[in-house]
Amino acid sequence: MSQSLIFDMDGTLFQTNTILEISLQETFNHLEALDLWDKETPIEKYREIMGVPLPVVWETLLPDHSNEVRQRTNEFFHEQLLANINRGNGALYPNVKEVLSYLKDKNFSIYIASNGQIEYLNTIVIYYKLDKWVTETFSIQHLQTLNKTDLVRTIVTKYNIENGAVIGDRLSDINAAKSNGLLAIGCNFDFAQEDELSQADIIIDSLLELKIVLAKLNAEYTKVNN
């Protein structure tokens, strides 16, 4: 099996919920101060749609607001996310660094493909020093289509990946894997949904399981091709 792994970021490597609630609350407090909001902060609604591109997020959370207000709100929210990461309020999932270090030592090439914005992803990568293991991070902002499948295809094409896996928690990750001829490894983490995960080739409950899963797959591949 090709030594190439493409990870999602939010809900897979990074525990987005550690900064999500506080950043969203700060954002809707801001809207309320501007007389643009008078309801409860829609945290649960945001959890339901985690993983979709940000324009879709604000169309969903602010259906009755103008595109201009949505854009300004997105910018404010983004600023709060970055600030909370840099304040140390965020967290990686357990064993992320251990697993990435292990995979790197086993000569896996590691990439990140995320619907997050470029600056947001770079802030996480820099703060947690993920660039020690990650070859390159790709944001949906790099594409006009805002499509995860197209984003993964960009990585596959750039690095000539023939076999490998996409590791993520949502259906967009699973679809991106299968559409590009890659293995779909679903992460049963915070934002995962059972009906979506059921479409993955393999489901893991912890990133540590990747060690066993990938070793087994590699052994099977070697056996078949020898």
Side-chain angles (χ1 to χ4, degrees), residues 60-117:
T60 304
L61 299 187
L62 300 174
D64 301 322
H65 292 68
S66 67
N67 287 330
E68 182 182 357
V69 170
R70 292 172 187 162
Q71 178 61 33
R72 292 203 308 268
T73 302
N74 178 60
E75 291 171 358
F76 186 88
F77 178 62
H78 193 240
E79 291 171 0
Q80 304 319 301
L81 290 174
L82 300 186
N84 280 305
I85 293 168
N86 286 320
R87 291 185 192 120
N89 291 331
L92 298 175
Y93 276 95
N95 307 303
V96 165
K97 292 187 176 182
E98 175 188 340
V99 170
L100 293 183
S101 179
Y102 168 84
L103 295 173
K104 189 73 171 180
D105 288 344
K106 293 295 182 179
N107 296 317
F108 281 88
S109 295
I110 302 168
Y111 311 93
I112 292 174
S114 171
N115 284 337
Q117 295 186 359

Side-chain angles (χ1 to χ4, degrees), residues 60-190:
T60 304
L61 299 187
L62 300 174
D64 301 322
H65 292 68
S66 67
N67 287 330
E68 182 182 357
V69 170
R70 292 172 187 162
Q71 178 61 33
R72 292 203 308 268
T73 302
N74 178 60
E75 291 171 358
F76 186 88
F77 178 62
H78 193 240
E79 291 171 0
Q80 304 319 301
L81 290 174
L82 300 186
N84 280 305
I85 293 168
N86 286 320
R87 291 185 192 120
N89 291 331
L92 298 175
Y93 276 95
N95 307 303
V96 165
K97 292 187 176 182
E98 175 188 340
V99 170
L100 293 183
S101 179
Y102 168 84
L103 295 173
K104 189 73 171 180
D105 288 344
K106 293 295 182 179
N107 296 317
F108 281 88
S109 295
I110 302 168
Y111 311 93
I112 292 174
S114 171
N115 284 337
Q117 295 186 359
I118 296 170
E119 189 177 7
Y120 167 75
L121 296 173
N122 287 342
T123 299
I124 295 173
V125 169
I126 292 170
Y127 187 87
Y128 294 101
K129 299 179 173 59
L130 298 182
D131 51 348
K132 290 171 59 177
W133 307 288
V134 176
T135 301
E136 188 171 358
T137 299
F138 292 77
S139 164
I140 202 73
Q141 274 189 310
H142 289 118
L143 301 179
Q144 290 185 341
T145 63
L146 299 180
N147 185 290
K148 192 68 167 283
T149 294
D150 293 339
L151 186 63
V152 168
R153 184 171 297 118
T154 298
I155 303 173
V156 168
T157 300
K158 179 173 181 177
Y159 288 96
N160 298 313
I161 298 172
E162 296 182 358
N163 296 290
V166 175
I167 302 159
D169 64 319
R170 299 308 300 266
L171 186 59
S172 59
D173 303 302
I174 295 168
N175 287 339
K178 294 189 174 184
S179 296
N180 286 286
L182 303 176
L183 188 73
I185 300 178
C187 298
N188 189 22
F189 299 170
D190 295 308

